[in-house]
Amino acid sequence: MTMTSVHSKDKASAGSDGLRARRNVGILAHIDAGKTTVTERILKVTGRIHRVGEVHDGAATMDYLEAERERGITITAAAVNVNWNGHTITIIDTPGHVDFTAEVERSMRVLDGAVCVFDASEGVEPQSETVWRQAARYGVPRLCFINKMDKAGANFFEALTSIREKLGACAIPVQLPIGREGEFRGIVDLVHMKAHVYKSLEERIEIPIPEEMKAEVRAARTDMLESIAERDESLLELYLEGKELPHGELIRVLRQSVIAQEVHPVLVGSALRDKGIQRLLDAVVAFLPSPMDIATVPGTNEDGEAVEHPATPEAPLAALAFKTIHDRTGDLTFLRLYSGVLRRGDSVWNPRLRQKERVGRMMIMKANDREPVEEARAGEIVAVLGLKSSTTGDTLCTKEHVVVLESMDFPDPVISVAIEPKNRGDRDKLGEALGALGREDPSFRHGTDAETKDTVIAGMGELHLEVIVNRLRSDFKIDVDVGAPRVAYRQTLRGPCDVEGRHVKQSGGRGQFGVVRIRFSRSDESAFVDSIYGGAIPREYIPAVAKSLTAQYQKGGTERFPFVGVCAELYDGKAHSVDSSEMAFQEAARLAFENAIKTAGTTLLEPVMKIVVRTPSVQLGDVIGSINARRAMVENVVELEGGVSEIHGRVPLAEMFQYATTLRSMTTGRGNYTMELDGYARVPEELAQEVRREARERREKK
């Protein structure tokens, strides 16, 4: 995420006045609703750029990654600060694709307000619901911008209805469109009761409210006034008396209601056709909160006791690290300052690590461009170089005034693949690259499978991992082969058996002597039972037997699948006063287990997951059919509010790879699922033979 702050030379940023004139605002939406286009037009109208870049041409300022330009989508949240009517606004353009929801999550944590963009022909789409819920969870006030009014099928009132019904939002139009689809040409401002038509991004003309819209405008304004007046006793009294509501009071109460998340003003336009952007910026300034609207910064001290800092530059430092990105000059850490002042060269305290960090260079950023600054103040967002150990979610403060801010939660990965460098000499380089990518993205995980030795990467979806692999190739110059991860199968003994392990060798000098008799049986968890009585085996050798059996379980016999659920009862044996040793009894135990495998046989087991699938109720039957086809056992179905159903069951992990993509496709992106390990179950014999055959082939190749 590339972020920004106010220039240190900007004197207006000092103190409360600067905080009141600042907005930290995110642009949120479903993919293709027009977020990045809205941001590009904001940059143009505020003079931040002089030539508009189009998403579809791969030239958008905010989509600076190669993968973003190739796909025409936003992958990493990018930001820039602009000036509008004496206010500094940090605009954060966030991803709309569900695979990159962690980027939205961390943006939400540091935003003061948000503009939710909706496609006028689609209304609320699946990711619209997701980002709306994320914003609500973090208490972020929102405006609604119904975009693409010039698009075929655009319908303002249907989009408005979907916002109210699907999101449960108190959405109040403060604008109405003049025309729709190809006839869309302007906007009626219900607050000021003025109409404008647009000639270009910068040029608009005030016109009388069209005659054919007057009744519609009066009705909409009445609804707006009622919704606002009922939230303030003095306004309600004036309204009931039929008096004109003072314009300043109207704006004040509407702003208070937005900040309290009680209402969400709805605006309209077409960013691609340069319509509605100035009025959107006016609304951001008028209705969304400044950092000053956060009275105090809540947190805890190192003992877990509640503490609060005033949200001012004069208060002690409290900053949240919310993103790290890999950079050729060192990792860049992005901080939101909630209180205090941070200067280049400062030493700061990380309470989690209980250590100091030194702030090196500080900078503001416009997408991928950088500008050095000497300081940042409360309410600002700044990128710093020099932090060695701080990561996403860490608080930075002073050692004298310790505060720990609320961190962030990120979803667990839902898909994984195995990768291997084509050049074996790149193995160490690959590990370093994956470490850097892991520091950047908390929803990305990587590691080595202890059994298969595969390097496995995991993320939020196929596109997420595709981008990771492409970055390995383009940014780190590591070419990799990509495959599917192998399931970590287990095995157990097919039944009980009673066996002997005898290790007796005599070849001159001191010999080796150890005999054990062990009853093996199935159990829920592997266990070792010492039933030796009468000193058949000296006590000092019994731990060696247990240790050896544990090692054999992990080795997995000739098939190399670790054993689980084996109970070993050591009940008899023999020892020699001279030739017995720990090593001799370890070997005897190994031989006993080999005999148990031959005697009882083995059963292949696979990990089985508890699964909870959420889906729109209208797709319930299809979704149940899809998981049944993956050998799932559906245990129960729960009907939730809002036309959503929840399916509970158990399913083999081997069947669930790439299911996230299937589910999203089946439910138009609205379905999701979670899994956790429930245990192991027998693999059907036909599948077990195939798994064993593939395992043998892999061993032979190695």
Side-chain angles (χ1 to χ4, degrees):
M1 182 186 293
T2 50
M3 309 305 299
T4 184
S5 79
V6 179
H7 298 263
S8 58
K9 66 183 179 182
D10 188 348
K11 303 300 183 184
S13 66
S16 298
D17 289 343
L19 287 176
R20 289 192 181 94
R22 165 169 283 279
R23 304 288 184 271
N24 294 314
V25 178
I27 310 293
L28 317 173
H30 186 86
I31 190 171
D32 290 334
K35 301 178 312 304
T36 301
T37 302
V38 168
T39 308
E40 293 291 314
R41 268 39 182 200
I42 289 174
L43 298 183
K44 181 65 168 64
V45 79
T46 58
R48 200 67 163 86
I49 61 174
H50 301 289
R51 180 181 178 275
V52 174
E54 302 296 358
V55 175
H56 52 267
D57 293 332
T61 304
M62 307 301 279
D63 288 346
Y64 63 90
L65 292 180
E66 180 181 338
E68 294 176 312
R69 296 182 181 274
E70 288 177 354
R71 293 172 172 82
I73 63 171
T74 301
I75 291 172
T76 184
V80 62
N81 69 311
V82 300
N83 294 306
W84 183 252
N85 291 343
H87 290 71
T88 298
I89 307 172
T90 300
I91 303 290
I92 304 176
D93 178 27
T94 63
H97 196 287
V98 68
D99 282 13
F100 308 105
T101 189
E103 288 289 330
V104 183
E105 190 82 18
R106 65 169 120 217
S107 296
M108 293 293 188
R109 177 62 180 83
V110 298
L111 291 176
D112 297 322
V115 175
C116 295
V117 180
F118 301 90
D119 186 318
S121 65
E122 303 291 342
V124 175
E125 299 176 87
Q127 189 67 0
S128 308
E129 296 182 55
T130 300
V131 297
W132 188 272
R133 289 194 298 269
Q134 286 174 307
R137 188 167 67 252
Y138 284 102
V140 179
R142 283 142 280 162
L143 305 178
C144 302
F145 183 68
I146 298 180
N147 189 32
K148 300 190 178 184
M149 274 304 303
D150 59 319
K151 182 180 175 183
N155 190 309
F156 174 81
F157 292 103
E158 287 186 2
L160 175 63
T161 298
S162 72
I163 292 171
R164 289 171 171 170
E165 293 182 352
K166 291 185 178 180
L167 303 179
C170 182
I172 301 176
V174 294
Q175 296 176 350
L176 290 181
I178 301 175
R180 55 183 283 191
E181 298 182 333
E183 301 299 320
F184 175 65
R185 63 189 186 280
I187 293 167
V188 175
D189 184 336
L190 297 176
V191 176
H192 300 88
M193 286 302 285
K194 294 180 179 179
H196 300 92
V197 294
Y198 290 84
K199 299 298 183 182
S200 67
L201 181 60
E202 290 85 4
E203 183 183 1
R204 71 183 191 277
I205 300 172
E206 186 175 334
I207 63 169
I209 295 174
E211 191 67 32
E212 68 275 12
M213 290 188 64
K214 285 185 176 179
E216 180 181 74
V217 168
R218 280 195 300 270
R221 179 172 168 81
T222 298
D223 289 343
M224 179 191 73
L225 294 177
E226 286 181 356
S227 296
I228 298 172
E230 68 183 13
R231 301 173 191 283
D232 183 90
E233 289 186 10
S234 61
L235 282 187
L236 182 59
E237 185 176 341
L238 291 174
Y239 181 77
L240 294 176
E241 292 174 356
K243 296 179 180 179
E244 186 69 23
L245 302 185
H247 180 75
E249 285 297 288
L250 194 65
I251 296 296
R252 178 186 66 81
V253 174
L254 181 53
R255 184 172 194 272
Q256 288 178 347
S257 301
V258 172
I259 293 174
Q261 301 175 70
E262 295 172 353
V263 302
H264 306 285
V266 181
L267 299 95
V268 66
S270 170
L272 187 62
R273 304 304 174 200
D274 305 331
K275 296 177 174 67
I277 299 302
Q278 296 96 331
R279 303 287 69 77
L280 176 60
L281 284 168
D282 288 343
V284 166
V285 167
F287 304 133
L288 290 181
S290 73
M292 273 297 289
D293 292 301
I294 304 173
T296 58
V297 182
T300 58
N301 60 21
E302 289 179 300
D303 296 325
E305 300 168 339
V307 295
E308 290 186 342
H309 285 185
T312 65
E314 293 76 23
L317 176 68
L320 181 70
F322 64 96
K323 174 146 185 173
T324 299
I325 64 170
H326 175 72
D327 186 80
R328 62 184 181 278
T329 59
D331 286 348
L332 271 174
T333 304
F334 295 92
L335 307 176
R336 162 69 194 264
L337 273 70
Y338 285 91
S339 64
V341 178
L342 185 67
R343 296 180 177 87
R344 177 178 178 178
D346 280 354
S347 289
V348 294
W349 182 252
N350 185 318
R352 180 182 67 85
L353 301 173
R354 299 186 62 81
Q355 69 181 43
K356 284 187 175 182
E357 292 264 38
R358 185 178 181 278
V359 176
R361 293 170 54 200
M362 298 174 58
M363 61 199 74
I364 62 171
M365 303 183 72
K366 186 193 79 172
N368 203 31
D369 296 332
R370 307 175 182 184
E371 182 176 341
V373 294
E374 293 300 316
E375 71 173 33
R377 293 173 171 265
E380 298 181 20
I381 297 170
V382 65
V384 302
L385 279 168
L387 303 183
K388 302 297 184 183
S389 305
S390 298
T391 60
T392 296
D394 281 350
T395 300
L396 298 179
C397 56
T398 64
K399 193 172 182 180
E400 295 74 25
H401 298 91
V402 173
V403 60
V404 180
L405 303 176
E406 181 186 1
S407 189
M408 292 157 276
D409 295 321
F410 297 100
D412 292 327
V414 297
I415 188 172
S416 58
V417 296
I419 61 171
E420 183 177 359
K422 289 186 176 180
N423 183 352
R424 291 186 177 274
D426 283 340
R427 287 189 180 276
D428 290 343
K429 189 177 176 182
L430 176 62
E432 293 174 2
L434 293 176
L437 292 172
R439 290 192 298 274
E440 283 192 17
D441 184 354
S443 67
F444 166 67
R445 312 286 170 79
H446 64 93
T448 302
D449 188 291
E451 295 161 21
T452 65
K453 306 304 180 185
D454 287 336
T455 298
V456 178
I457 60 175
M460 298 309 299
E462 290 175 297
L463 179 59
H464 188 192
L465 295 185
E466 182 183 336
V467 168
I468 291 291
V469 169
N470 286 345
R471 288 198 61 191
L472 288 172
R473 291 167 174 161
S474 61
D475 296 358
F476 297 92
K477 311 303 179 187
I478 304 172
D479 201 5
V480 294
D481 289 321
V482 181
R486 293 188 286 274
V487 173
Y489 289 98
R490 301 286 192 268
Q491 58 183 330
T492 192
L493 295 176
R494 191 179 295 273
C497 60
D498 189 331
V499 295
E500 180 183 83
R502 176 179 290 268
H503 180 65
V504 179
K505 287 190 175 181
Q506 189 70 47
S507 56
R510 183 173 177 175
Q512 299 181 42
F513 187 96
V515 178
V516 296
R517 294 188 176 93
I518 303 175
R519 298 188 187 100
F520 287 98
S521 60
R522 297 273 296 273
S523 65
D524 292 336
E525 296 182 2
S526 293
F528 177 78
V529 179
D530 175 11
S531 295
I532 293 294
Y533 296 100
I537 298 176
R539 307 307 303 172
E540 64 264 27
Y541 298 144
I542 293 176
V545 175
K547 180 180 178 181
S548 177
L549 290 176
T550 299
Q552 297 310 309
Y553 297 162
Q554 290 301 313
K555 287 181 180 179
T558 57
E559 293 186 337
R560 310 287 176 85
F561 297 123
F563 280 82
V564 295
V566 176
C567 178
E569 181 189 4
L570 176 63
Y571 70 93
D572 198 5
K574 293 181 180 179
H576 190 278
S577 59
V578 176
D579 293 340
S580 288
S581 64
E582 288 188 2
M583 184 178 296
F585 275 95
Q586 286 181 7
E587 185 65 12
R590 181 187 70 81
L591 294 171
F593 189 60
E594 285 186 359
N595 291 334
I597 292 174
K598 295 175 184 176
T599 302
T602 61
T603 296
L604 191 65
L605 305 175
E606 60 184 343
V608 175
M609 316 297 288
K610 285 183 180 178
I611 185 170
V612 178
V613 184
R614 283 195 173 192
T615 175
S617 297
V618 293
Q619 277 105 21
L620 178 61
D622 291 339
V623 173
I624 289 178
S626 74
I627 61 173
N628 282 339
R630 294 171 181 263
R631 296 194 285 129
M633 293 180 59
V634 175
E635 295 170 346
N636 68 305
V637 177
V638 180
E639 293 296 328
L640 306 177
E641 294 181 0
V644 175
S645 297
E646 198 170 74
I647 306 164
H648 295 252
R650 300 169 73 249
V651 63
L653 176 62
E655 302 289 347
M656 293 304 292
F657 295 120
Q658 301 184 346
Y659 183 65
T661 303
T662 300
L663 181 62
R664 288 193 198 116
S665 175
M666 187 176 302
T667 61
T668 61
R670 297 178 65 190
N672 60 76
Y673 73 98
T674 59
M675 293 194 307
E676 62 178 300
L677 183 64
D678 185 55
Y680 290 86
R682 178 178 174 276
V683 180
E685 190 57 37
E686 186 175 338
L687 289 177
Q689 292 177 7
E690 180 67 16
V691 170
R692 289 183 170 114
R693 183 188 62 78
E694 291 178 355
R696 284 195 299 271
E697 290 177 354
R698 286 197 301 272
R699 290 197 299 271
E700 290 169 0
K701 287 180 180 179
K702 293 181 179 181

